[in-house]
Amino acid sequence: MIRVRFAPSPTGYLHIGAARSALFNWLFARKVGGKFLLRIEDTDLQRSTDESTRSIIEGLEWLGLDYDEDIVFQSANAPQHRAAANRLVAEGKAYRDFTPKEKRDDASIKQGIADRARAQSTEGSDHRSNPYRDLPREESDRRAAAGEPFAVRLKVAHEGKTSFEDIVYGAQERNYSEIEDLALLRSDGHPLYNLSVVIDDIEMGITHVIRGQDHITNTHKQILLYDALGTPVPKFAHLPLILAPNKGKLSKRKHGEVVSLTTYRERGFVPAAFRNFLALLGWSPPDTKEIMKLEELTQEFSLEGIGRANAIFNFQENDPRHWTDDKALWMNAEYIRTISRDQLLPMVKAELRANKLWREEYEDEDREWFAKTVDLIRQRFHTLKDFSSQGRAYFSDDFDFEDAAVNKNLKKGPRLKELLPALADRLEEMDPFTAETSEAALRQYAEEQGVKAGLLINGSRTMLTGQAVGPSMFEVFAILGKDRSVTRLRSGVPWF
RNA sequence: GGCGCAUUGGUGUAGUUGGUUAACACGCUGCCCUCUCAAGGCAGAGAUCACGGGUUCGAGUCCCGUAUGCGCUACCA
């Protein structure tokens, strides 16, 4: 039985890179009939928050990625992690390190690492030079018993190398000389990442570890741990990273909300669309078809189809039109205009409701009208937000007139101030009032008045919707109905 | 500093065991359609396949080197 897991640390919003890892894990599990598990890596108590855990769970739910079995909270397994470390010490595979803990400040950590490495190479010391590495057991036990604080480190052999066959990146090797005696337990007894991950993965029966490429180095350390523990090593598939447009790391601090999955929900993305877009970042289907529903994605997905080069998430921070990747935006629009009514209507309902535009009749006697209206306007919308902003005039009489539209379609034709109310009089007599009859009436009236039909059409569009763009005007007349059409044509509102 | 990975048009990606004019999607330009804007249709611009060597009759595809980028290198995860 194949078992995979998504193991985020709850230290903030759900990053789109993490969301993609979750997606790939899920697709793989569903494709092969395995289990997809969720583990919250909350061992860093200071940084972990419940709110973040909630956002991760909600994010997965939004993307439609359901997980099997109960969520595992890593912090709950700390006793097992400690026990494993102690067992390794007892077996002589790990040792207590009584070196006093160094003070580190996070800001300069990377620099510190490089500096230390430089210093180490010049003074000739290596990863095996820890003075406590070969401390006699009796002395180690005595000092521990006396209450002296210590960290626990894995005893990595002097000679040898780790190797594994990465499903994405191929054969990987690392000399032991490149690997330090990694810390397993902090001097306060707190288990560290690499230990916890391995113990939990073993405990959960994980067979395939699918995670970001930034973990490749960790994988070598973890293999050492599997070996020390005498446990079979799972298969690994590392994923290329998602980078910012400058090829740098995508981070909240630098790039803001565009990296947070929550943003896409808040800004009107259809979950299926974003999921589809995410799937195409680093993975490509066997054929050229890119728009795929979940079932298709699942069917086509394979670890072998994952590329090795990091992908750039292409967006322009200062341009509202391109606030996120163009292709994601395009895909969202594509979904909005093509998904079934049954799928779309609930999303539109939520959007309208959030903006106090929803009326219960839309699910009752005005049900058909609502569906037809949505079908009419969805064609040119890019996000669900558009239903409450650009689409506002269809659901409320309280809508704004865009200055540009008023200038272009109304004020440039001074006669419209009289023509439009007069047109309203004509329309009022139509029965039935349909796209066809209103068109006939408008065109005839334009001819009588010696003006172009377009003048009346565009003027009407702005009077009825406040905008310069929108669906075919006669469809709008029909959808809005005679009363509202006539009333809006007569209202002098935008003229003042 | 060390180790590792990557490098195909602006972006996401295809390019099978090396073989004619490097393919698809988004974006971009123009035209058509038309009451506007989209959508749609048609046409088009844009890649010396990072660079330099080499192997070969022939290389985006194999080898070596260089550059650039990214990742890791922590008693963070």
Side-chain angles (χ1 to χ4, degrees), chain A residues 72 74 96-97 100 195 272 287 298 344 359 362 404 410 423 425 433 444:
Chain A
V72 172
Q74 190 161 63
R96 300 190 182 93
D97 179 0
L195 205 222
D287 57 25
T298 305
L344 182 63
R359 293 173 41 219
Y362 295 159
L410 295 175
L423 173 64
D425 295 342
F433 183 79
Q444 191 192 336

Side-chain angles (χ1 to χ4, degrees), chain A residues 4 115 180 198 226 372 398 410:
Chain A
V4 299
D115 290 346
E180 65 189 332
V198 170
Y226 280 103
K372 277 162 71 177
D398 177 27
L410 295 175

Side-chain angles (χ1 to χ4, degrees), chain A residues 3 62 137 196 244 249 277 296 327:
Chain A
R3 294 166 68 85
W62 185 69
R137 269 302 283 285
S196 300
K249 199 171 181 175
F277 170 76
E296 295 173 301
K327 191 161 179 172

Side-chain angles (χ1 to χ4, degrees), chain A residues 323-432:
Chain A
W323 67 272
T324 188
D325 198 296
D326 274 344
K327 191 161 179 172
L329 251 11
W330 165 80
M331 201 167 270
N332 199 41
E334 178 71 16
Y335 269 77
I336 285 177
R337 66 175 149 336
T338 58
I339 57 177
S340 69
R341 279 183 174 184
D342 288 350
Q343 290 174 287
L344 182 63
L345 259 26
M347 293 189 259
V348 177
K349 174 181 175 179
E351 174 60 26
L352 294 185
R353 182 172 261 168
N355 289 279
K356 300 190 164 51
L357 293 170
W358 173 255
R359 293 173 41 219
E360 292 305 327
E361 298 86 85
Y362 295 159
E363 264 179 356
D364 199 8
E365 68 261 32
D366 290 338
R367 197 195 170 99
E368 197 46 32
W369 177 85
F370 180 61
K372 277 162 71 177
T373 301
V374 168
D375 278 343
L376 180 65
I377 62 183
R378 76 202 281 201
Q379 299 305 326
R380 59 213 74 209
F381 286 173
H382 287 78
T383 74
L384 296 169
K385 285 277 140 204
D386 292 336
F387 285 97
S388 64
S389 53
Q390 292 184 55
R392 190 180 176 92
Y394 295 88
F395 305 107
S396 169
D397 290 324
D398 177 27
F399 59 91
D400 292 331
F401 289 86
E402 288 176 7
D403 290 344
V406 172
N407 288 331
K408 178 167 173 254
N409 289 343
L410 295 175
K411 293 191 172 166
K412 279 190 178 166
R415 284 190 67 198
L416 286 171
K417 202 167 179 176
E418 282 75 42
L419 290 176
L420 292 175
L423 173 64
D425 295 342
R426 292 291 185 91
L427 292 178
E428 196 166 30
E429 287 159 24
M430 306 308 304
D431 187 35

